[in-house]
Amino acid sequence: MTLSLRTRLLLTHGLVVVAVATALTLLALQAERRWLLQLHGTALERAAVAVAGDVQEAQAFATIASRADSTYALRVSLIARDGRVLADSRVPLAQLDDHSDRPEVVAAFGGRTGRSLRMSRSTRVEYVYVAVPARGPGPVAVVRVAEPVDAVRATHAPSLRDSLLAAMGVILAGFALLFGLSGRFAGRVHALERVARGIGREGLAPRAAEVPADDLGRLGRVLNEMEREMRLRVEALQRERDDRERILAHMSDGVALVDGAGRVVHVNHRLAALLGAARPAEPGTLFQAFARVPDLDELLEAARSEARTVERELRLWSPRAQVLRVTATPLGGPAPAPVLLVLHDLTESERLQRLRQDFVANVSHELRTPLTSLRGYAETLAEGGLEDVEHRERFVHIIRDQAVRLQALVEDLLSLAELERPDVTLRRERFDLRAAAERQVAALREAARVADTPLELVSGGSVWVEGDRVQLEQAMANLLDNAVKYTERGRVTVRLGADDAFAWFEVRDTGPGIPAEDQPRVFERFYRVDKARSREKGGTGLGLSIVKHAIQLHAGEVSLESTPGEGSTFSFRIPLRAVAAVR
Ligand code: ADP
């Protein structure tokens, strides 16, 4: 059992107090004994000597003793030479034995005054005894007077009782003081203990009391300094950790640190997202259970066993198709080593790569047809075709048409390349969109007449916009050109206007329309619904793609509504005031 500090203080100090008080009491009792024997004994001796003077002649010992008793208020005993008690004023003689061995009697037999303080063997009362020799011829050899100690104390020594009471009072007061002091001391120690416990914990640690500036106060100051120092260090560490986590959280690569036992030390959000997890794994989770990609486990194992960085390309099909380049680097230290896993997403770059390849293939394909035809007709002419009066003119026209097609293709490619440049800038100016539309409609009027397709611009007021006039004119021209091109013996209606903060432009035709499944794709490069027809009409497959890019650069949007067999409506909306486009 461990006693509390307060109880222990109380017990040890209490013992000291009790010991001191007891010693003092014993000393006091000793002093009292001395006083009883010496000072009070002298008074008794005087009485004994007086009685001794009376006993020589008389024979009536009992009377002498009781008279002396009533005179001096003392017990008086007359003792013969052989130790027998001849008379006793308070105790019947039958109860009294031989008194020759009593120390005061022994001294009186020796001719001296004997004094003694002891318990009476006959009466079991504590007495102060004084015995004096009775000189003379009578049978009385010794006169002994005695007074009960209690009686002396009652009459002569009230101060002793007071001092004993005072001693008790001192002890009690000492205990009370001790109780208070030890409580205060233990309280201060406990307060320091609480402060010490709080150091290094989350939240604010209580401050230790530094006053009074005694040992505990100094200890308090040291604890406070320690706490301050610790807090600063913990804050610095936390800042460092937060910085590191912020860096990891904002990395575009997925990062995971896996310890030697295959448990997660840290996983950033990006890695969790790449693996389709809602949030990063908690530290201590088995990485295997979190990632559920066996290839990653193999890679971790390989990095550990080969003790070098291992890199591999990984294809994941869930949660979505992805291509990742994974690097596993063992971080050294005692085996099995922790491994740093970095997942780099190649999906987008692979998609772009594929787009580029497709584009090059498409462009080559588009160029090959006119080039083959050019070369064929040119060779035919060179190899005697010039003499063929009947056909040469047609050949030359074909050569010119193919060159025109090539030129159109190259121009569209250049326009698209220009629009797709990452640093493309719009040459913004304020102009009337209606006036620009009128010019484009006028430019196509002849083609519309040839196609037997009335082309009408519904009249209205000016629509002032801020934008790149050349690009917006090209977008309108492409939409008008398509409508006229694909609509035979139908009609094309053009409308434009403005609402709130937007300008809108719309071309409605009664042409063949576009099947629903092709509608989302017609704005892609080289996508054609009817390839043969597009080629026949001199289309490059890039017109709508150019429209989409131009409108997106103006922070606008294009849309298409079409019903096969009834016609199509292509339209775009752009903000009236220039805003930055989101690419
Ligand atoms: P193209 O140079 O072939 O016209 P576009 O990019 O301008 O290329 O158009 C892509 C395809 O969308 C066309 O090949 C055509 O099949 C279809 N298309 C475009 N406009 C219309 C329209 N007004 N009516 C029907 N089909 C259209």
Side-chain angles (χ1 to χ4, degrees), residues 159-326:
S159 59
L160 184 79
R161 206 176 49 236
D162 288 353
S163 54
L164 281 178
L165 279 176
M168 283 304 291
V170 165
I171 289 179
L172 284 179
F175 262 99
L177 194 67
L178 257 177
F179 189 78
L181 282 178
S182 62
R184 208 171 106 74
F185 185 78
R188 289 178 69 194
V189 171
H190 287 152
L192 289 176
E193 184 190 338
R194 269 198 302 283
V195 173
R197 272 187 208 284
I199 292 178
R201 294 247 178 101
E202 284 287 318
L204 261 189
R207 277 186 67 75
E210 297 184 11
V211 282
D214 54 4
D215 299 39
L216 287 185
R218 278 200 301 281
L219 183 58
R221 203 174 57 231
V222 171
L223 277 180
N224 285 340
E225 279 165 12
M226 213 166 97
E227 192 272 334
R228 212 166 20 247
E229 178 82 354
M230 250 337 228
R231 190 156 33 83
L232 290 179
R233 281 188 197 189
V234 168
E235 278 170 9
L237 281 174
Q238 263 166 356
R239 256 198 312 277
E240 223 171 84
R241 190 193 62 190
D242 291 351
D243 286 350
R244 204 173 44 232
E245 294 205 342
R246 257 198 298 278
I247 292 171
L248 282 173
H250 289 95
M251 273 179 77
S252 57
D253 285 352
V255 179
L257 182 60
V258 181
D259 70 9
R263 291 186 185 278
V264 168
V265 177
H266 186 88
V267 159
N268 72 349
H269 281 87
R270 179 70 179 134
L271 186 126
L274 284 174
L275 297 180
R279 68 184 70 83
E282 289 298 319
T285 317
L286 264 185
F287 183 73
Q288 200 176 10
F290 167 70
R292 290 206 224 108
V293 179
D295 287 352
L296 283 181
D297 305 331
E298 277 171 30
L299 207 67
L300 284 174
E301 212 30 68
R304 265 193 212 112
S305 59
E306 293 171 29
R308 64 174 182 84
T309 301
V310 184
E311 201 176 302
R312 194 175 297 169
E313 214 166 277
L314 216 68
R315 263 172 208 281
L316 298 185
W317 303 108
S318 107
R320 60 191 168 278
Q322 290 180 105
V323 190
L324 305 174
R325 191 179 59 236
V326 187

Side-chain angles (χ1 to χ4, degrees), residues 444-456 478-494 507-514 530 533-534 536-537 560-563 565-570:
L444 275 169
R445 193 129 278 148
E446 178 56 18
R449 196 190 56 76
V450 171
D452 199 6
T453 300
L455 171 61
E456 183 205 354
N478 286 4
L479 292 180
L480 286 169
D481 183 51
N482 279 354
V484 170
K485 206 160 61 181
Y486 296 111
T487 310
E488 279 162 6
R489 283 177 292 283
R491 54 180 315 113
V492 173
T493 318
V494 183
V507 182
R508 182 184 295 265
D509 67 48
T510 55
I514 300 167
D530 181 342
R533 185 128 183 236
S534 163
E536 176 203 314
K537 298 281 182 185
L560 160 63
E561 277 171 40
S562 181
T563 314
E566 287 183 17
S568 316
T569 305
F570 282 90

Side-chain angles (χ1 to χ4, degrees), residues 421-437:
R421 260 179 38 196
D423 60 341
V424 60
T425 47
L426 297 180
R427 279 182 291 275
R428 291 186 188 277
E429 59 182 292
R430 201 167 139 72
F431 68 95
D432 180 8
L433 195 68
R434 180 172 297 277

